[in-house]
């Protein structure tokens, strides 16, 4: 008996498969967290991001729309928006979506003023929601402040099961292909920046993705990447030239690939950011959450999110100023003293399609949304139009 006990004690225990655990309750009983856990590990930040995502994409109290759809819809180029009284929810959102030509009501352009066309030649559309807490800001934002930007592509009836979709007219639908979240917390006034995408948006530029047709990449283009040939003929990530503020609704499709998996640099970061661990945590949570979502009944209102994945997130250590970029840009070689953490090359291929790579002016969110504690409200680009 004594020998048997020693044998059991001496047996090596199997290592846990995941170092960062997901919880099914995030999906079935979503609760929006107030801040990142005290230890502030990579795992803590990405667990926080996923919990926020499911809290915002779960059904709202009216049972027909998601929580994020009940926030205020941002009107491009309209001032004093906090004083406006207008209907919230999908109805108002659809009224903006229907005015596709008017840039004052709806944006077809990305932040760099370029447009993106999917493989059917249809233009993408974008819109922004913001919480009412943004209107309560005086010298800085308050808890509950959130901005969400979504990118949409035209989809058809046979694709409805694969996308979170909204119907814009009889037999006309838009499917979500990307979502940004910028979340203000008491400890992180720089905002926590996360992005999600549809799993079939685009392959990696390094040719390691499956060869198939993607929403923004042809099968021929993906095959060329996989073969690691000279793919210059496809003009990957080259924007369409347009000559007016109102781009054509239909045009030649763009060919797109993702430069950085999980928004991670290919080489070791120069500012002590552990990019390998960052990517590992993102992948672990994506895998666990996808499995949990697949186990839901097909008719479950959250099952659609199995078609999406988190790309990454970015923040600063201890919520300090965002400072200079820690990765190379057209203007610099990167700042080794930068306290930016997470996915240092974070982009969404449907929103920053043409700003990927080391030669970009804007390698991540903080390149545009600079945070300075002396001017804390300027981290938001829409706030100046709200009050």
């Amino acid at each position: 008996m004594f020998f048997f006990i020693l044998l059991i004690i001496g047996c090596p225990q199997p290592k846990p498969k995941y170092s960062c655990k997901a919880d099914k309750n995030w999906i079935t009983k979503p609760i929006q967290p107030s801040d990142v856990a005290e230890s502030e590990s990579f795992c803590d930040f990405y667990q926080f991001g996923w919990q926020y995502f499911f809290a915002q994409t779960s059904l709202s109290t009216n049972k027909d729309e998601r929580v994020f759809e009940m926030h205020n819809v941002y009107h491009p180029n309209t001032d004093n928006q906090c004083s406006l009284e207008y209907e919230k929810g999908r109805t108002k959102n659809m009224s903006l979506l229907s005015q596709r030509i008017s840039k004052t009501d709806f944006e077809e352009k990305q932040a760099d003023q370029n447009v993106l066309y999917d493989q059917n030649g249809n233009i993408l559309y974008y819109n922004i929601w913001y919480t009412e807490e943004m209107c309560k800001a005086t010298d800085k934002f308050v808890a509950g402040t959130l901005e969400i930007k979504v990118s949409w592509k035209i989809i058809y009836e046979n694709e409805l099961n694969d996308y979170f979709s909204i119907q814009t007219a009889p037999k006309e639908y838009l499917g979500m292909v990307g979502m940004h979240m910028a979340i203000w917390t008491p400890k992180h006034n720089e905002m926590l920046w996360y992005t999600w995408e549809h799993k079939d948006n685009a392959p990696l530029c390094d040719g390691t993705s499956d060869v198939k047709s993607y929403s923004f990449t042809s099968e021929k283009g993906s095959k060329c990447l996989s073969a690691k040939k000279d793919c210059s003929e496809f003009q990957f990530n080259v924007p369409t030239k347009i000559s007016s503020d109102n781009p054509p609704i239909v045009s030649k499709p763009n060919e797109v690939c993702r430069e950085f998996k999980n928004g991670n640099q290919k080489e070791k970061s120069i500012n002590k950011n552990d990019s390998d661990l960052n990517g590992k945590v993102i992948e672990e949570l994506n895998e666990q959450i996808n499995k949990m979502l697949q186990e839901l009944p097909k008719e479950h209102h959250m099952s659609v999110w199995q078609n999406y994945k988190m790309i990454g997130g970015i923040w600063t250590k201890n919520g300090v100023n965002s400072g200079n970029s820690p990765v190379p840009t057209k203007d610099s070689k990167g700042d080794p003293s930068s306290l930016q953490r997470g996915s240092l090359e974070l982009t969404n291929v449907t929103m920053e399609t043409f700003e990927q790579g080391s030669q970009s002016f804007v390698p991540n969110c903080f390149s545009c949304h600079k945070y300075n504690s002396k001017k804390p409200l300027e981290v938001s680009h829409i706030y100046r139009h709200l009050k």
Side-chain angles (χ1 to χ4, degrees):
M1 176 65 74
F2 182 69
F3 175 77
F4 181 69
I5 293 173
L6 285 175
L7 186 63
I8 293 175
I9 294 174
C11 287
Q13 298 299 309
K15 292 182 178 180
K17 185 176 181 181
Y18 301 111
S19 60
C20 186
K21 297 288 185 67
D23 189 333
K24 195 169 184 178
N25 285 332
W26 300 348
I27 302 167
T28 57
K29 301 175 182 179
I31 297 176
Q32 188 166 288
S34 59
D35 219 321
V36 179
E38 192 68 30
S39 54
E40 295 209 344
S41 65
F42 282 105
C43 183
D44 292 332
F45 279 100
Y46 291 118
Q47 287 177 331
F48 175 92
W50 269 115
Q51 289 176 76
Y52 232 93
F53 176 85
F54 286 124
Q56 289 294 320
T57 58
S58 60
L59 289 177
S60 66
T61 53
N62 69 8
K63 302 300 183 184
D64 293 323
E65 298 165 330
R66 306 299 169 123
V67 171
F68 76 87
E69 294 181 280
M70 300 305 293
H71 299 317
N72 295 340
V73 181
Y74 176 70
H75 294 241
N77 304 326
T78 301
D79 292 328
N80 302 314
Q81 294 192 33
C82 288
S83 64
L84 298 177
E85 291 186 9
Y86 54 84
E87 183 179 5
K88 295 183 180 180
R90 192 173 295 173
T91 301
K92 180 59 185 178
N93 184 35
M94 286 169 56
S95 74
L96 294 179
L97 291 170
S98 65
Q99 300 176 37
R100 294 176 179 173
I101 300 300
S102 173
K103 190 173 183 299
T104 59
D105 284 321
F106 193 74
E107 295 278 6
E108 308 99 336
K109 295 181 180 181
Q110 301 187 29
D112 62 6
Q113 297 303 301
N114 288 303
V115 296
L116 176 60
Y117 295 93
D118 65 20
Q119 284 299 298
N120 291 316
N122 295 318
I123 200 170
L124 255 65
Y125 302 101
Y126 306 86
N127 60 342
I128 299 172
W129 286 267
Y130 62 95
T131 56
E132 290 186 356
E133 283 79 1
M134 289 197 75
C135 294
K136 299 175 183 178
T138 54
D139 57 335
K140 68 176 184 178
F141 293 118
V142 300
T145 294
L146 170 69
E147 293 182 29
I148 294 179
K149 185 173 184 179
V150 172
S151 52
W152 308 89
K153 77 164 191 170
I154 293 174
I155 62 171
Y156 304 96
E157 288 187 331
N158 65 334
E159 299 176 280
L160 288 175
N161 291 333
D162 298 326
Y163 289 85
F164 175 78
S165 61
I166 57 176
Q167 187 169 3
T168 57
K171 295 189 176 182
E172 289 187 12
Y173 307 91
L174 288 176
M176 180 187 292
V177 287
M179 175 185 277
H180 276 331
M181 278 193 187
I183 306 164
W184 189 97
T185 79
K187 290 193 295 183
H188 286 276
N189 295 185
E190 83 280 18
M191 296 183 127
L192 305 174
W193 302 81
Y194 299 96
T195 197
W196 287 262
E197 290 188 31
H198 194 277
K199 64 181 182 181
D200 290 333
N201 276 354
L204 289 164
C205 299
D206 65 9
T208 58
S209 301
D210 293 338
V211 174
K212 63 179 183 180
S213 178
Y214 293 83
S215 291
F216 307 103
T217 319
S218 65
E219 186 169 357
K220 288 184 178 180
S222 117
K223 187 175 182 179
C224 181
L225 291 173
S226 181
K228 294 180 169 54
K229 295 180 178 179
D230 175 9
C231 300
S232 56
E233 65 176 290
F234 293 94
Q235 293 189 298
F236 280 104
N237 303 335
V238 175
T240 301
K241 292 182 178 180
I242 57 173
S243 57
S244 70
D245 284 339
N246 295 320
I249 301 302
V250 178
S251 185
K252 179 183 177 181
N254 293 109
E255 292 282 354
V256 175
C257 63
R258 187 188 310 284
E259 187 72 32
F260 299 104
K261 184 178 183 180
N262 305 130
N264 277 339
Q265 300 164 286
K266 293 182 175 70
E267 60 281 339
K268 187 178 179 65
S269 65
I270 64 172
N271 70 332
K272 299 181 181 179
N273 182 71
D274 192 339
S275 297
D276 289 339
L277 179 58
N278 181 72
K280 180 176 183 289
V281 170
I282 294 168
E283 292 294 317
E284 283 189 350
L285 288 176
N286 277 343
E287 183 177 333
Q288 294 172 77
I289 287 169
N290 184 259
K291 183 178 179 181
M292 292 173 182
L293 290 166
Q294 288 182 349
E295 291 172 349
L296 294 174
K298 288 185 178 180
E299 63 274 12
H300 195 285
H301 64 278
M302 297 296 273
S303 67
V304 68
W305 302 118
Q306 68 186 270
N307 298 307
Y308 297 80
K309 61 182 179 180
M310 178 189 277
I311 301 302
I314 192 168
W315 56 91
T316 67
K317 187 175 181 179
N318 300 322
V320 301
N321 293 345
S322 57
N324 298 322
S325 172
V327 296
T329 68
K330 285 186 177 180
D331 295 330
S332 73
K333 296 181 179 179
D335 184 354
S337 68
S338 170
L339 292 178
Q340 295 180 20
R341 296 291 184 264
S343 304
L344 301 182
E345 293 271 14
L346 186 63
T347 55
N348 187 301
V349 297
T350 69
M351 300 189 201
E352 295 88 21
T353 316
F354 313 107
E355 291 294 337
Q356 302 183 76
S358 59
Q359 292 304 303
S360 167
F361 284 112
V362 285
N364 64 43
C365 308
F366 288 129
S367 299
C368 286
H369 297 270
K370 296 181 182 296
Y371 173 68
N372 185 330
S373 60
K374 293 181 179 179
K375 301 177 180 179
L377 300 176
E378 292 185 4
V379 71
S380 168
H381 287 177
I382 70 171
Y383 178 74
R384 64 182 182 270
H385 295 297
L386 301 187
K387 297 182 76 173

